[in-house]
Amino acid sequence: MRTFFSNLAIVGASLLVIASVIFSPIKKAEAASGLAFGGLVSFVTICTCSAAEAIWFTPLWLGNVPVTGYMVYQPATTFLYPGYMIGVPGAWHLGTYTPAVQACYMTVPDACIVLPSYGVIQSTGTSVPGIE
Amino acid sequence: MSRKKLLSNLSILSIAAATFLFVGNTPALAQQGSERSQFVRNLRLGDRGLDVKALQIILNSDTETRIAPSGSGSPGQETDYFGQLTLQAVIRFQNLHKKDIFAKAGISGATGFVGTATRSVLEEKNTAVSAIGAAPVTPPSTAPAATRTSQTNSVFSPLSLAGAPRITAAVKQKVFLYRALPAQVAPKGTVTLSGSGFDATENTVHFAGTAIPNLPSADGKTINVPLPGDLALQKHEVWVENKNGTTKGSPSPIRFLVTNTPVDPPKIIAVNPSLVSIHEDTIVITGTGFAPAGNNFYTSLGTAMNLSSSDGKTISLKLNSLSNLEKVKNPDLRGITISLWMSIQNENGTQIDPFPVPVTL
């Protein structure tokens, strides 16, 4: 139970930070360059056709209501901050993303199909899972 | 809460806060950073991490530096472990790029150690590899993506997959091919190739030992290929070559079938129930072109393979057969509806644009 409340505290405090960034005048001016997101990694799917990884977050915070779904980690366009645990299940991520960009393609026989996501991660910092 | 735990949580929070304050207030640096590599450390035998996996993906993008032809480490099965196979692949990579690596690193032979010089060359290659497949679609609304009401408010609903994807990544483009449509075509028909990095006027398309040069691409994303009348009635692998490179040897080969009796690929039309609970046992998928057996479903939450259809129009799918379904169940998200994206593939071809199935958590 303590773990639950401590995690809740982390999420709450983190969201305050997110909100302060999102709703600051500076951030509004930069809206075109990326939107804020935060979430907990559930699992990762390799984009076998497009050299990327789709990371599923549960929950995923894009606004004031938690959702769940994929964000795509694209090695050359995603900038990493400490602790470099991108895509590791159990790691919290906070960062920015480019919405409406589909960058994950999966190999099927004779073709590739798109795996829809919220967008491509621009930059992210992560927690280190397992720290107690 | 113990002092140790409090400190660890505070450290997590401080990282998060620092990240956001940094990203939020230094756009120029953030933008600059987005064009840098993820290789923030040197890599060597025995290392683990997603950067190792990214390294393997880059090495696998070239047949000459492929980690392994099959099994662990092969394309699509990259791991986070830097083992002997990765070491040998790095050595091959270093030998291929000895002019750029050896002098800079002060070495006379490949070592398999991924240091600054090797990372620098990897970054260039990484940039090219990552240019593929960046396909923006209709921008989604920035309104809250889901609600707790009974109204269907899909996670992915703002996204439209209509139209050909386009590439916007502001990085060097490598030629990339991801489909040939129609997947089945009559002799003398036309196949449209989709991808990115196509040249405006000079693309050479290869198939069946034939090379058709100087094919144009008005948008850089599609090429129309007129087929000769004497093509063998069979599947043909196709690849594109131009000044940006070649798709030959891609780990995801693209093929089309030449036949006198082409059929349409399978297509999902509807799902029953129309609003699926994540606790549902079975859903019934309705559509066209379903095969008696060997229907494979590729979804956001995993695959369901080799399903049968007795009438060619319906298929029953057990939700819990999707390997990642359990991982998205979360009591805090109860009542939210997401889209479970689903494509079907069988002997008739593949449904290229996935079908969204609304699923309530």
Side-chain angles (χ1 to χ4, degrees), chain B residues 182-249:
Chain B
Q184 296 189 17
V185 60
K188 291 188 178 180
T190 298
V191 165
T192 300
L193 307 180
S194 296
S196 65
F198 297 159
D199 189 72
T201 55
E202 295 182 4
N203 301 285
T204 301
V205 174
H206 299 260
F207 53 89
T210 303
I212 304 181
N214 302 323
L215 289 174
S217 174
D219 54 8
K221 297 166 293 187
T222 56
I223 301 173
N224 292 321
V225 184
L227 301 181
D230 57 353
L231 269 183
L233 301 180
Q234 63 183 52
K235 275 189 181 178
H236 297 280
E237 183 172 345
V238 57
W239 68 91
V240 179
E241 186 176 8
N242 62 24
K243 66 183 180 186
N244 294 325
T246 177
T247 66
K248 185 180 183 182

Side-chain angles (χ1 to χ4, degrees), chain A residues 7-71:
Chain A
N7 285 338
L8 200 62
I10 293 170
V11 173
S14 301
L15 286 174
L16 280 176
V17 176
I18 293 171
S20 68
V21 172
I22 291 174
F23 297 112
S24 73
I26 293 173
K27 190 65 193 179
K28 281 181 181 173
E30 299 162 15
S33 66
L35 303 173
F37 82 96
L40 180 66
V41 177
S42 300
F43 61 92
V44 172
T45 299
I46 303 292
C47 308
T48 49
C49 190
S50 61
E53 294 182 351
I55 302 172
W56 189 288
F57 293 92
T58 309
L60 173 63
W61 298 85
L62 304 175
N64 58 354
V65 176
V67 294
T68 180
Y70 280 123
M71 287 282 188

Side-chain angles (χ1 to χ4, degrees), chain B residues 106-141:
Chain B
I107 55 178
S108 55
T111 61
F113 173 74
V114 181
T116 308
T118 305
R119 283 163 49 186
S120 174
V121 179
L122 282 167
E123 283 177 15
E124 293 175 17
K125 191 167 179 62
N126 190 18
T127 301
V129 169
S130 297
I132 63 178
V137 292
T138 306
S141 163

Side-chain angles (χ1 to χ4, degrees), chain B residues 315-335:
Chain B
I315 292 175
S316 294
L317 185 151
K318 285 196 172 296
L319 268 190
N320 62 14
S321 68
L322 304 178
S323 59
N324 291 315
L325 186 80
E326 287 298 321
K327 296 174 185 172
V328 305
K329 289 181 178 174
N330 183 318
D332 293 338
L333 300 177
R334 192 169 295 141

Side-chain angles (χ1 to χ4, degrees), chain B residues 2 9 14 17-18 50 55 80 84 94 96 99 101 135 168 199 205 207 235 267 270 272 291 297 312 335 345 349 352:
Chain B
S2 69
N9 284 340
S14 64
L50 270 189
L55 168 68
D80 64 355
Q84 281 294 338
Q94 291 174 328
L96 277 174
K99 283 183 181 174
I101 295 175
T168 60
D199 189 72
V205 174
F207 53 89
K235 275 189 181 178
K267 184 178 182 182
N272 188 20
F297 285 86
Q345 177 271 327
I352 294 295

Side-chain angles (χ1 to χ4, degrees), chain A residues 66-120:
Chain A
V67 294
T68 180
Y70 280 123
M71 287 282 188
V72 173
Y73 163 51
Q74 210 177 15
T77 57
T78 302
F79 180 71
L80 303 184
Y81 294 97
Y84 308 119
M85 291 293 161
I86 188 161
V88 175
W92 286 93
H93 287 44
L94 284 160
T96 59
Y97 74 106
T98 306
V101 174
Q102 299 305 324
C104 182
Y105 286 80
M106 306 294 296
T107 303
V108 297
D110 303 331
C112 300
I113 55 174
V114 66
L115 184 64
S117 69
Y118 277 107
V120 174

